[in-house]
Amino acid sequence: MRYLTLAPTFIFGIVLGLAIFAGPALAQNEGQADLDKATELKIGIASARDLQQLNEVVELLDSAIEKGLDEANQEFAEQMLVATIMERATALAEAVLNKPVADPRRDPRWVQIRQFALTDLQRAVELDDSLVDAYFLMGRLQSLPLGDPNAARRALTTVIELAAAAEEPADGEAAAPAEPPVTPEQLAQAYALRGATQTDPDRQQADFDKAIELTPDKAEYYLLQARAKVRQEDFDAALEAANKAAELAPGNHVVYEVKGLILRGQEKIEEAIAAFDTATEIEPNAVKPYQYRGELYSILGETEKAIEELTKAIELAPGNLASRLIRAELYSTTEQYGDALTDVETVLRSQPGLVRAHLMRTVLLTRLDREDEALATLEKLAEAAPNQPEIQLQLAGFYMDANRSGEAIESLSKVIEAAPESGIAYRMRGDMYLAIGEHAQAVADFAKSFELNPDDSGLLNNYAWTLSTSPYEEIRDGERAVELATKACELTEFEAPHILSTLAAAYAETGDFEKAIEWSRKAVDMHAADEDATRDMSAELAAELASYQSGEPWRELQQEGQSELSDEDPESEPAEEGDLAPLLDF
């Protein structure tokens, strides 16, 4: 560190000299007594980490300056104050930097100490704006989790500018200062830390390049470069940087973790697993390689291996919530719903506000036939967080399953209000409007959903079905229905009987009964060949075919409680009790 530190013998010499040469003037300084106490206490401090004594020195110096000192003593007191504040800030900063934490929110004392250090450093640079080490420490502290990236960037930029200014000779001088304000290693770290805060990729790359130029044997800077390239999805350049880091630090397990992530980005799954294996060989207790392997084995469909890896990660770090959530998802896919629920509830005990975990829990409760509990949980969540579209969307799904259409529509409307680009919400609300006979609203929602997600075969089917079969003439549009139904068939490779049925209905609405009969018969035959075919569906498809053979288009059957869209009577009679509604792809 190159801030001003006054040796005890030097301080004693200054005080003695002032006593001899200033003489009676000292008695006129109202703050002199506090300055003398501060000086005596400062000389007696055995360790720069004695925060209590440093606090006392700062308080005495502040008091001395406030009470008043002559010019010489004022300068001396200010120098000692800056030096003492820097000593205290450095001690506080080291306590933070030597104890890194992944989530500062879990350690409020750590956050408090960092803030104390930053407050001291800010005061130090206000007293002396040339303190390179103060700016450097500020940059380091603000670069930590939950720090202020903008403040970090400003402080580190000041370090770099002060270093550059020190290299330039003063006017009329030919030589640079004998000692630079920072070492090349510190300057490289300043560039690397600033690069990590940059939002512009080119500036970030320039900072990392400069850090590597200053200290080309530092593997960590190549890793920063590699991670930056991963974010830019330039995996080839990222892998090159990671390989260079591996050359410089072959025993650093983090290098192989990063390399594994790059290979995963390149979809080289087996090679990625091998890289994570190397990381584990170097550091068997490192958690992330187990977690990453678990994710990769899941991608490969090797669920048991994936669960085994994630279990090891959890054993090493029981607080590893990400691994628990991933394992819960895998347990769910293998129908181990009880184990999955245990993992999710463990996560929620640690982070009760995690929406994703709450939503997973409601799904698992449903799988365990605890629907009432799941619905009650969702309703409480929706009440506590009314602007969370994920919660409202899942709540709407429960209401739909329970045939509570009005409540489903209300929830979906809240989703749309909070997330107007949610195509699925418009699709689901359209389905609900269709279920209660509000065809105009259904078509409007289907049209909006189609704008947002034109390749949803289920949406295309329901949209086309409504345009083909609505009993309201102002709703129907056969030509448009044929377009939509044809695209739905193409997306499902003409292998979904109910979508072939919709295409038939669309042709019937245009008056092309030959095409309608052709596609309706294909739907009937395809459904009959399906081992899982249902009697209701078979009867419905047969009734549609018979209608087309008699030259009549199919009409959506009125449902009990259906609301009217216009004053005109629909073209078809209301359904008799026991009639079957057409199949919708909910």
Side-chain angles (χ1 to χ4, degrees):
M1 295 294 179
R2 287 174 172 75
Y3 56 82
L4 178 62
T5 302
L6 302 180
T9 54
F10 179 64
I11 294 172
F12 181 75
I14 291 176
V15 173
L16 181 61
L18 288 172
I20 294 173
F21 295 107
L26 289 177
Q28 300 172 5
N29 294 323
E30 292 184 15
Q32 184 64 48
D34 286 342
L35 177 59
D36 291 343
K37 288 180 184 178
T39 303
E40 181 180 355
L41 183 58
K42 187 74 164 63
I43 293 172
I45 294 178
S47 169
R49 291 177 176 80
D50 192 334
L51 293 177
Q52 183 175 349
Q53 288 190 305
L54 290 173
N55 291 342
E56 292 178 25
V57 171
V58 171
E59 289 174 4
L60 286 167
L61 290 170
D62 282 335
S63 175
I65 293 171
E66 183 178 354
K67 289 178 180 178
L69 296 166
D70 63 22
E71 184 176 350
N73 281 308
Q74 177 79 12
E75 182 180 357
F76 170 68
E78 289 176 355
Q79 289 177 338
M80 190 190 304
L81 179 61
V82 172
T84 307
I85 289 174
M86 279 300 299
E87 286 182 29
R88 186 171 67 180
T90 301
L92 292 168
E94 286 178 355
V96 171
L97 295 168
N98 292 336
K99 185 191 174 184
V101 294
D103 186 358
R105 292 169 295 187
R106 296 173 175 271
D107 192 345
R109 178 64 176 162
W110 185 93
V111 175
Q112 187 180 43
I113 292 173
R114 177 173 66 176
Q115 189 54 52
F116 286 154
L118 287 168
T119 300
D120 269 352
L121 291 167
Q122 183 60 44
R123 187 179 180 196
V125 297
E126 288 172 359
L127 292 168
D128 183 351
D129 62 6
S130 67
L131 292 173
V132 176
D133 289 314
Y135 290 111
F136 185 70
L137 272 179
M138 289 169 69
R140 292 182 67 190
L141 292 171
Q142 293 286 22
S143 296
L144 295 172
L146 291 188
D148 183 344
N150 293 324
R153 187 163 55 251
R154 288 193 298 269
L156 294 164
T157 297
T158 303
V159 172
I160 293 167
E161 290 174 348
L162 289 172
E167 293 178 358
E168 298 177 3
D171 293 341
E173 296 182 6
E179 185 179 11
V182 294
T183 65
E185 291 77 14
Q186 288 176 314
L187 186 57
Q189 189 175 5
Y191 274 110
L193 289 172
R194 189 178 73 170
T197 70
Q198 297 281 17
T199 56
D200 180 83
D202 293 335
R203 291 183 178 179
Q204 183 177 70
Q205 187 61 54
D207 277 348
F208 291 154
D209 288 346
K210 187 64 177 179
I212 290 170
E213 176 188 332
L214 289 165
T215 53
D217 58 347
K218 197 79 168 177
E220 288 84 348
Y221 299 156
Y222 287 100
L223 287 181
L224 286 172
Q225 191 176 59
R227 288 189 172 106
K229 292 298 183 183
V230 168
R231 287 191 292 271
Q232 298 170 31
E233 297 187 358
D234 186 352
F235 295 111
D236 291 339
L239 186 59
E240 182 180 349
N243 285 333
K244 182 62 179 179
E247 291 177 14
L248 293 169
N252 185 342
H253 71 280
V254 177
V255 171
Y256 294 95
E257 289 180 13
V258 174
K259 187 173 180 179
L261 292 173
I262 296 167
L263 291 166
R264 183 177 70 174
Q266 293 179 317
E267 299 184 358
K268 298 176 180 178
I269 305 301
E270 298 292 348
E271 292 181 47
I273 290 174
F276 294 135
D277 287 342
T278 302
T280 298
E281 290 171 7
I282 295 171
E283 179 48 71
N285 292 325
V287 175
K288 288 184 179 179
Y290 292 101
Q291 179 180 321
Y292 295 146
R293 276 196 301 269
E295 295 174 10
L296 293 177
Y297 280 130
S298 174
I299 292 172
L300 292 175
E302 300 183 41
T303 306
E304 289 186 9
K305 279 188 177 182
I307 291 174
E308 182 181 342
E309 294 288 340
L310 292 165
T311 300
K312 180 64 177 177
I314 294 167
E315 289 173 357
L316 289 169
N320 185 351
L321 303 184
S323 291
R324 283 193 183 275
L325 284 177
I326 297 168
R327 189 174 69 171
E329 291 174 351
L330 293 174
Y331 278 144
S332 182
T333 61
T334 56
E335 300 184 3
Q336 299 178 67
Y337 302 124
D339 291 332
L341 185 60
T342 298
D343 270 347
V344 169
E345 291 181 338
T346 299
V347 170
L348 286 172
R349 281 194 293 273
S350 180
Q351 287 197 13
L354 193 60
V355 171
R356 175 188 172 194
H358 280 293
L359 295 179
M360 286 180 65
R361 182 174 180 271
T362 60
V363 171
L364 292 168
L365 288 172
T366 304
R367 299 286 188 271
L368 292 166
D369 296 325
R370 294 161 62 181
E371 290 89 350
D372 291 343
E373 186 178 349
L375 180 56
T377 300
L378 271 177
E379 288 176 333
K380 287 181 180 178
L381 281 172
E383 184 178 352
N387 296 322
Q388 286 280 358
E390 300 92 342
I391 296 173
Q392 293 291 346
L393 191 64
Q394 192 155 330
L395 181 58
F398 272 84
Y399 287 143
M400 291 171 71
D401 289 341
N403 294 319
R404 294 164 63 175
S405 303
E407 289 160 298
I409 289 171
E410 183 180 352
S411 290
L412 290 165
S413 296
K414 290 178 180 178
V415 174
I416 291 168
E417 183 178 353
E421 299 303 308
S422 176
I424 185 63
Y426 281 105
R427 152 69 193 286
M428 291 169 66
R429 193 173 70 172
D431 289 344
M432 283 293 92
Y433 278 132
L434 184 57
I436 64 173
E438 299 283 0
H439 290 201
Q441 289 93 326
V443 167
D445 276 354
F446 289 153
K448 182 63 177 178
S449 183
F450 178 76
E451 290 177 13
L452 297 167
N453 187 10
D455 295 324
D456 179 349
S457 63
L459 163 68
L460 292 165
N461 178 75
N462 292 2
Y463 192 2
W465 180 263
T466 309
L467 295 178
S468 303
T469 69
S470 175
Y472 303 101
E473 183 177 358
E474 66 269 23
I475 298 295
R476 297 194 303 273
D477 184 342
E479 297 294 337
R480 178 64 169 153
V482 169
E483 293 175 10
L484 296 168
T486 300
K487 184 173 182 180
C489 287
E490 291 171 349
L491 289 169
T492 54
E493 299 181 347
F494 294 84
E495 293 181 356
H498 68 286
I499 297 181
L500 299 184
S501 162
T502 299
L503 182 58
Y507 276 118
E509 175 58 24
T510 66
D512 189 344
F513 288 101
E514 183 178 346
K515 283 282 190 182
I517 292 168
E518 175 188 347
W519 288 109
S520 182
R521 183 172 286 118
K522 287 181 180 180
V524 169
D525 293 343
M526 187 178 293
H527 182 69
D530 186 353
E531 294 179 358
D532 297 323
T534 64
R535 183 177 299 177
D536 287 350
M537 176 70 167
S538 297
E540 176 70 18
L541 292 175
E544 291 173 20
L545 178 57
S547 179
Y548 305 144
Q549 288 172 332
S550 65
E552 294 291 336
W554 188 260
R555 291 289 173 259
E556 171 72 36
L557 301 179
Q558 294 277 15
Q559 298 181 17
E560 184 179 355
Q562 177 178 352
S563 63
E564 298 293 338
L565 292 187
S566 68
D567 294 332
E568 299 179 5
D569 290 333
E571 294 179 6
S572 61
E573 294 295 325
E576 298 292 337
E577 185 175 354
D579 281 345
L580 299 172
L583 179 71
L584 295 178
D585 182 23
F586 287 123

